[in-house]
Amino acid sequence: MQHFSMAVIPGDGIGPEVTNEALKMIKMVEELHGGIKFYSEHFEWGCDYYLKSGRMMPENGLEILKDFDVLLFGAVGAKTVPDYISVWELILPIRQKFQQYVNLRPIKLLRGLESPLRYKNHEDLDFVVIRENTEGEYFNSGGRVHEGTPYELAMQNSVFTRFGTERILNYAFTLAEKRKKNLAVATKSNAINFTMPFWDELVKEISGNYPGVQTRLYHIDALAAYFVSRPEEFDVVVGSNLFGDILTDLGAAIVGGLGISPSGNINPERAYPSMFEPIHGSAPDIAGKGIANPIASIWSVGLMMDHLGHNHIGKLIVDSIEAVLVDGKIRTPDLGGTATTVEMGEAIISKMAQLAVGHHL
Ligand code: GGG
């Protein structure tokens, strides 16, 4: 029997609703496999916790989380707490302190879904964005002075270290080597004239170690346009923290919306737990209505299985999601249907039970 410890942080808004469906999937994985067991502990941290305690998580929150094998996260953000507090006191410290420097975000048009891009199909839309997740534009360095006066000033520093840049580029090159050997790199070295030329130079240096990988640098504005006009060019895309964040919302939009796209915040060295979460936020406009799409959260469990070395289970989860979408009967409102979060989640989970028959998990 393989045992994994998992901390569950459902968070805010639709986070708890979609996380419930992800947890049902984990239960189904345990049942179908028979040799895997998750010991989970739940932490009700987030904006409600902040309103009661003045903190998004306890002072020793990271200490509490550090010995878990994996973390399952829902979403963060509520109208009651400024976003820069909720994000900076919960998910960003987890990603940074646990060296989850790879934010892996598949951008894949699942069967059964159509892209809003006319004429683009499943073969055209299947790539992975690797977002640097610990530094860059989200480094927590800057300040404000003379607040409320005409001399007011706000400054935010982007910090790119050689160590941080090399490790994310090496991860992206290695992934590209295993896929179609095609790496697109987001840059903006024409206008951001210190950090981005540094980033480009490291790309050039490191590319020598991966002679089989075709590498192309794109300015971020052009890259965003190419995501729409020629997405079939991409296989692995690597970008800084902010560029990767923005590109992947666009990526999600071209493959069916934010309800679909999962992410893994990965510490490849496994010195700390990795964290799996939908890329979407807390969606306060639909929170509590039971209509959020749980696919991104369930697919994030698939990425967790890949990380834990059970790639065949990860694949079966994606196959089950696709099979439900191809059936087309159960869809949440973001996909044009009327199904609830629970109906969509349960349809995927029972499909998984059907597809698993005859599979050796
Ligand atoms: N599940 C992801 C989530 O809650 N995201 C909210 C957000 O805005 N996060 C900022 C970020 O991903 O960097």
Side-chain angles (χ1 to χ4, degrees):
M1 183 71 77
Q2 235 184 334
H3 298 275
F4 298 113
S5 57
M6 175 174 67
V8 182
I9 309 164
D12 305 314
I14 61 170
E17 299 165 50
V18 296
T19 303
N20 272 342
E21 302 312 305
L23 290 171
K24 289 182 200 165
M25 174 53 85
I26 286 177
K27 221 174 175 128
M28 179 52 84
V29 166
E30 287 176 334
E31 264 173 47
L32 293 172
H33 186 281
I36 300 179
K37 182 92 192 116
F38 282 85
Y39 288 99
S40 56
E41 207 170 319
H42 289 238
F43 299 97
E44 302 298 327
W45 300 342
C47 290
D48 286 347
Y49 185 91
Y50 181 90
L51 293 177
K52 286 183 231 142
S53 68
R55 308 184 59 90
M56 290 295 290
M57 62 173 149
E59 212 172 337
N60 63 343
L62 294 172
E63 190 57 31
I64 292 171
L65 297 179
K66 83 172 182 357
D67 292 323
F68 283 91
D69 292 318
V70 283
L71 316 178
L72 179 66
F73 193 86
V76 62
K79 290 186 179 135
T80 47
V81 181
D83 284 342
Y84 61 86
I85 292 179
S86 58
V87 165
W88 262 111
E89 292 195 8
L90 192 58
I91 47 175
L92 295 190
I94 295 174
R95 291 172 181 169
Q96 296 187 350
K97 291 279 164 31
F98 292 159
Q99 297 299 322
Q100 295 169 348
Y101 60 89
V102 175
N103 193 332
L104 182 144
R105 297 182 159 191
I107 303 295
K108 178 177 165 71
L109 181 63
L110 298 177
R111 282 171 213 292
L113 290 180
E114 275 185 13
S115 170
L117 306 178
R118 270 193 307 167
Y119 315 125
K120 299 295 176 192
N121 60 33
H122 310 284
E123 281 97 53
D124 298 325
L125 285 156
D126 185 2
F127 58 92
V128 180
V129 177
I130 301 299
R131 164 186 175 190
E132 200 295 319
N133 216 21
T134 54
E135 54 175 46
E137 304 85 349
Y138 297 1
F139 192 75
N140 199 17
S141 162
R144 288 174 71 162
V145 289
H146 305 308
E147 281 158 278
T149 74
Y151 317 105
E152 186 162 4
L153 177 153
M155 195 173 70
Q156 183 98 30
N157 300 311
S158 292
V159 173
F160 290 76
T161 63
R162 176 173 277 272
F163 176 74
T165 309
E166 283 180 350
R167 68 181 177 177
I168 195 66
L169 293 175
N170 275 312
Y171 186 94
F173 272 107
T174 305
L175 182 64
E177 259 186 341
K178 290 189 203 138
R179 289 179 51 110
K180 294 183 192 153
K181 306 188 188 324
N182 169 354
L183 181 66
V185 183
T187 184
K188 189 64 188 169
S189 45
N190 55 351
I192 301 177
N193 57 339
F194 296 110
T195 54
M196 283 292 125
F198 173 65
W199 169 274
D200 293 359
E201 278 163 34
L202 292 184
V203 172
K204 201 158 172 234
E205 253 178 63
I206 289 172
S207 66
N209 300 332
Y210 302 89
V213 177
Q214 194 200 352
T215 310
R216 272 175 298 176
L217 285 154
Y218 295 81
H219 289 305
I220 184 68
D221 40 350
L223 183 55
Y226 292 150
F227 265 34
V228 173
S229 58
R230 36 201 234 212
E232 62 278 5
E233 279 188 4
F234 302 112
D235 176 34
V236 178
V237 180
V238 64
S240 67
N241 215 330
L242 175 65
F243 290 173
D245 193 2
I246 297 170
L247 279 178
T248 47
D249 269 33
L250 174 60
I254 59 176
V255 295
L258 283 162
I260 306 292
S261 296
S263 76
N265 302 275
I266 294 171
N267 171 243
E269 291 74 25
R270 294 164 195 267
Y272 298 98
S274 293
M275 175 166 71
F276 299 86
E277 57 173 332
I279 76 168
H280 64 67
S282 56
D285 51 326
I286 55 162
K289 295 186 177 164
I291 56 167
N293 189 339
I295 290 180
S297 194
I298 293 174
W299 190 350
S300 299
V301 172
L303 296 183
M304 182 193 289
M305 296 302 152
D306 295 343
H307 177 72
L308 294 175
H310 291 280
N311 303 61
H312 47 301
I313 301 179
K315 180 175 180 316
L316 192 58
I317 292 175
V318 179
D319 289 348
S320 308
I321 297 169
E322 279 194 313
V324 170
L325 293 170
V326 169
D327 285 350
K329 290 187 224 89
I330 309 269
R331 283 175 182 232
T332 41
D334 57 308
L335 300 179
T338 55
T340 63
T341 308
V342 172
E343 285 165 347
M344 185 93 215
E346 288 181 351
I348 296 166
I349 287 151
S350 36
K351 186 60 80 179
M352 169 109 160
Q354 283 168 29
L355 293 186
V357 175
H359 265 72
H360 182 68
L361 291 187

